[in-house]
Each structure stands twice: as C-alpha cells, then as structure tokens.
Amino acid sequence: MKDFSDFEAALSIKNLTFSYNTHATIENLSLDVEKGSFTTLLGPSGCGKTTLLRLISGFLQPDSGEIELFGINQKGIGPDKRKIGMVFQDYALFPHMTVRQNIHFGLKIKKDRDFKKKTSEIAATLDLTSLLDRYPNELSGGQQQRVALARAFVLNPQILLMDEPLSSLDAKLREKVREELRAIQRELKITTVYVTHDQEEALSLSDRIAVMNGGKILQYGVPRDLYFKPHDNFTADFAGRANFIELEGEPYIIRPEWFKLNKTTECGDVEGTVISASFLGDRTRFVIQTKSIKGKDVQTTITADLKTLDTNSLETGSPVSLNIYHKWYNN
C-alpha cells in the first residue's frame, strides 16, 4: 500500500473556510485527493459535504484557503472554466431531450465539432447505444444514472464530483448500480469525489474515505483503517456499528459482528441477558444487558450480531454468554 506522501494529488485543498451568515460550515479544512482515485466524503446531513463539493466546483467561493486542481489555484476561475464534471442526486437530466441530446448538450454549448463522435464513443463505453433515442422517463433509475455519468464524462473533466447520486434508488438497484459505477470509474481512471451518508456505500466504493462532521475532517484513510482503527467514537460509529465500553477506566470499541456465542461451560468474555432480538436473515441482532465483561462487573447495553443458525434457543430474557473473536481495541 502506498504511503500518502507518495501519491500525486489531483485535488489539493488547503486550510479552507466557508461561512453562511457568520456560521462556519467549513472550518480550516485540508484534503489531498490522489489522481485517479475514488474518494468519498462521508458524514451526516449538514456536516458540510455538499458545501465542500460546491466550493470545489466553483459555485461557492471560500472565505479563506486554497483549492488547487492539478497544481493550479482555482481562485477566480468560474464553474464553467473549471474542468470538473458534476453528477447530482436527481441526475438533473433534461426531460424533453433524448439520451443522445442530454449527453451532447454540453459539447454543443462548447461548439465542439466532434460532438456526434464523442457522444457515440461514451455511449458505447457506458452501454447506452441502444438507448440514445429514448427519453429519461423511459429509462430505469440505473440507466438514468449512466446517462448522467455519460453527460459528465463526455466533457473530459479532470475530476468528477458526485452528490449522493444513488440515494433515490431502491436497495437492490442501488447495490447493482454501485458495482457498475465503481467498474466504470476504474476503467476510465477519472479522479472522483463522492458524497454520501451511507456507510456501506462508502466502504464498498472508496479507495479513501474522509469522515466529516461539523465542517471538519475527523479522519481520512483507506476503508479498512477507518473500520478497524478509528481515531474517535464518531468515526467508529459512522464507519460501521460500534459498541463503546469502558473497562477499568479505558475506553474500548467492539463491532457487533465481532461476537460469537460461547458454547463452552466456562464463562465467556461477556455474560448477560437478551433484551431484544431482530432477525436479519443469516444474522440476528441482539441487544444484551451485560453483567460482566472479561470477568469484570460491567453493567451496560451492547449490540451483538450473531449467526442465526447458532441462536435458535435465544429469546428475550434468555441468559447469554459471548466470546470476542476479533482483537478489540481502545481509542
């Protein structure tokens, strides 16, 4: 794995600050995005993710700080002059235009004489050739998303910004389109900055994730590091479910899936009582009131995701004994 100092930054943000009506939305934020990477801004609504995209694209101007695109400071450069592609939450397709017309709209505005050729090429790349004469209302959600991507890619942007583009899709389609999107991004090798509040989406799509809250980046790294080595409780809880436990004055984090049922006659790492159970298919999520953890008297509530086939005898009020099979850690 490459060290952060080794990569070439396509996008470099330095000490960026932006305020709405004297209220700081982005506060002294710095971020380097590697060329060709898929970087996700992950955080709750109102944390500044979309505002940061609008600053990068030039639709908003920062109070202070710098934004560089491939080493060029973007101060004073308008949105239409920045080589940036945008894909919005609702795709923003023109309903009265065909797929073909939607894709080459930007090229015609720029008076690009090769608009027909470029449209055909990107349509072939994104498997849209058979759909070119259809209108947006004749397309599925996944097809509309590919048209929005084609419209952005055809302008040959240096960087692609995506603002929660899958949020309107149902769960099954979202998973399918997510896989397609990642494959397309890898094939075209376009630097992508993606906004979402969906932790699964961020973990599955990203080369790197920046966890945001309150206009700041709390942690920036590869998905595995955020999941297994979060710097703080907020990151731990936003990059996957987490139990926060204090043992002998030390704080620890344990993921619900790191528990397994103790089937021995000896005491497990956790002893307690089932408060509730939620069937999730191959797993069942149990809320447990603990009596002891690692032999210490600890009374708290934890969540444990256990294999359903192992837990048929457990119900509300049942005593339960658990072991922790992954190394748990303090933060």
Side-chain angles (χ1 to χ4, degrees), residues 4 31 38-43 196 198-212 217 219-224 226-227 239:
F4 275 101
L31 176 69
F38 196 113
T39 296
T40 295
L41 306 178
L42 174 66
T196 187
D198 186 314
Q199 58 186 245
E200 182 178 327
E201 201 165 276
L203 292 170
S204 64
L205 279 172
S206 311
D207 293 312
R208 291 184 175 86
I209 299 172
V211 176
M212 292 185 64
I217 292 177
Q219 188 169 345
Y220 182 42
V222 297
R224 288 186 64 86
L226 267 67
Y227 189 79

Side-chain angles (χ1 to χ4, degrees), residues 4-193:
F4 275 101
S5 61
D6 294 337
F7 70 50
E8 177 187 351
L11 172 69
S12 185
I13 299 171
K14 302 173 183 177
N15 307 117
L16 201 69
T17 297
F18 176 80
S19 302
Y20 278 119
N21 299 323
T22 71
H23 175 68
T25 305
I26 301 293
E27 189 174 348
N28 198 34
L29 184 149
S30 296
L31 176 69
D32 286 330
V33 174
E34 183 178 12
K35 179 182 178 182
S37 70
F38 196 113
T39 296
T40 295
L41 306 178
L42 174 66
S45 298
C47 73
K49 307 185 301 293
T50 296
T51 298
L52 182 55
L53 280 199
R54 293 177 66 82
L55 287 163
I56 295 169
S57 62
F59 289 108
L60 293 175
Q61 297 302 317
D63 299 333
S64 61
E66 297 178 351
I67 298 173
E68 293 183 355
L69 190 59
F70 287 93
I72 299 174
N73 194 313
Q74 299 298 294
K75 185 176 183 180
I77 300 177
D80 57 325
K81 302 298 182 184
R82 300 188 185 192
K83 296 202 71 177
I84 289 175
M86 289 281 299
V87 177
F88 300 95
Q89 186 172 344
D90 61 359
Y91 308 140
L93 301 178
F94 298 113
H96 62 289
M97 292 184 181
T98 63
V99 169
R100 187 191 313 275
Q101 291 167 331
N102 265 283
I103 293 173
H104 70 218
F105 179 79
L107 292 174
K108 293 190 75 173
I109 291 293
K110 292 178 176 291
K111 298 181 179 180
D112 190 317
R113 294 180 179 179
D114 293 329
F115 73 90
K116 291 183 179 179
K117 178 184 177 184
K118 291 179 178 178
T119 298
S120 296
E121 289 175 346
I122 197 66
T125 299
L126 298 183
D127 195 23
L128 293 169
T129 302
S130 63
L131 306 176
L132 285 173
D133 295 319
R134 295 189 189 181
Y135 289 88
N137 66 353
E138 299 175 312
L139 305 177
S140 69
Q143 290 168 338
Q144 289 183 36
Q145 201 250 13
R146 279 188 279 134
V147 174
L149 283 173
R151 188 174 60 181
F153 287 148
V154 79
L155 295 173
N156 192 31
Q158 291 181 320
I159 188 168
L160 179 67
L161 308 180
M162 307 187 75
D163 190 5
E164 304 207 46
L166 308 184
S167 61
S168 62
L169 304 180
D170 63 65
K172 195 79 172 178
L173 182 57
R174 188 162 61 244
E175 184 176 347
K176 179 178 183 295
V177 174
R178 193 164 64 204
E179 293 171 0
E180 289 182 356
L181 173 61
R182 190 60 169 121
I184 292 166
Q185 189 272 336
R186 282 175 172 160
E187 180 182 349
L188 298 181
K189 296 181 175 63
I190 185 167
T191 306
T192 301
V193 178

